[in-house]
Amino acid sequence: MTTTAAATTAPETLATRVIPCLDVAGGRVVKGVNFENLQDAGDPVELGALYASQGADELTFLDVTATSDGRETTYDVVTRTAEHVFIPLTVGGGVRSVDDVRRLLACGADKVGVNSAAIARPELLDEIAAAFGRQVLVLSLDIKRSPRTPSGFVVTTHGGRTETSLDALEWTREACERGAGELLVNSMDADGTKRGFDLELIGLVRELASVPVIASGGAGKVTDFAPAVEAGADAVLAASVFHHRELTIPDVKSAMADAGITVRQAGA
């Protein structure tokens, strides 16, 4: 019997994504520690184009004050970014309805992140997934450690400013059942500290989630990224270390490749 190539070819290993995050306020990229003392870090269009040229796999754009200010995402900045950056773009911040998602997709977003509005009304996740498919829906989770919940982790809202009573793992499980297609797991304890990702949190989310997990919060050196992948992340996200030129995307991918992790090189 002749064995076909399809039968003998091993499945291709998916590349781990490296994703720069543009935290935007007032049309500018900002960065602080634990979402406080925000400092200007540059123009989102210029930074997005730079990261795309360096080999970023995706770009995440978060309007970090839209929810706390009670306003919509800055659509014009999203449009300008999408017009100049030709890699997948996820946009979050101030998303409250299916119409908000529709408008962001029309502005050039590929995926849309939802956080506070879904906690206030979980049915929003069902509605977005039904209207656009779960591949469009990213659940953004700002999580901090807390002794008040069974898992020891609690969900926060409004850019980490408001602590809820929701157990982070229970909410993650419910959100996946409602149609979340990807989880952006941001450790508020590690955010901006540059001490490494919260590996325990990543591992716990990975155990219960059947959708891709993006690790966020805490990256400080190139050797911080591989452990996050080994803990269960399908993608790694960072902000200030890229904005301040402390690390470059090629440097991060090189370190990950040296650790045996499959990554897509620039131009591939």
Side-chain angles (χ1 to χ4, degrees), residues 96-98 116-125 127 171 178:
R96 301 178 182 86
S97 68
V98 167
S116 300
I119 292 171
R121 194 173 68 84
E123 295 81 9
L124 177 61
L125 299 177
E127 294 164 4
W171 171 233
R178 288 183 177 275

Side-chain angles (χ1 to χ4, degrees), residues 3-135:
T3 303
T4 64
T8 58
T9 302
E12 182 180 356
T13 301
L14 291 178
T16 299
R17 292 166 288 153
V18 176
I19 306 174
C21 182
L22 305 180
D23 292 326
V24 178
R28 298 285 293 180
V29 177
V30 296
K31 194 55 190 168
V33 177
N34 305 127
F35 280 54
E36 297 180 349
N37 302 316
L38 300 178
Q39 304 293 321
D40 186 277
D43 177 75
V45 177
E46 292 177 0
L47 284 174
L50 171 65
Y51 298 145
S53 71
Q54 289 184 348
D57 299 289
E58 295 183 11
L59 190 66
T60 292
F61 177 114
L62 299 178
D63 191 325
V64 295
T65 58
T67 296
S68 59
D69 292 349
R71 60 173 173 78
E72 298 177 327
T73 303
T74 309
Y75 290 103
D76 62 321
V77 181
V78 173
T79 300
R80 288 194 296 113
T81 304
E83 287 174 345
H84 292 84
V85 179
F86 305 108
I87 55 177
L89 175 64
T90 297
V91 180
V95 177
R96 301 178 182 86
S97 68
V98 167
D99 285 342
D100 289 340
V101 176
R102 183 175 291 108
R103 187 172 177 185
L104 285 170
L105 295 176
C107 288
D110 298 283
K111 293 182 280 189
V112 174
V114 181
N115 183 355
S116 300
I119 292 171
R121 194 173 68 84
E123 295 81 9
L124 177 61
L125 299 177
D126 303 84
E127 294 164 4
I128 294 172
F132 307 104
R134 67 187 302 155
Q135 77 282 352

Side-chain angles (χ1 to χ4, degrees), residues 174-227:
E174 178 182 349
C176 289
E177 292 172 353
R178 288 183 177 275
E182 194 163 40
L183 305 174
L184 172 52
V185 181
N186 184 42
S187 168
M188 298 304 302
D189 301 300
D191 181 76
T193 65
K194 301 179 184 178
R195 297 172 185 163
F197 295 92
D198 189 327
L199 304 183
E200 180 186 6
L201 175 59
I202 296 167
L204 290 172
V205 172
R206 175 75 284 160
E207 286 180 6
L208 62 86
S210 59
V211 300
V213 173
I214 304 169
S216 170
K221 53 188 182 297
V222 293
T223 53
D224 286 335
F225 293 84

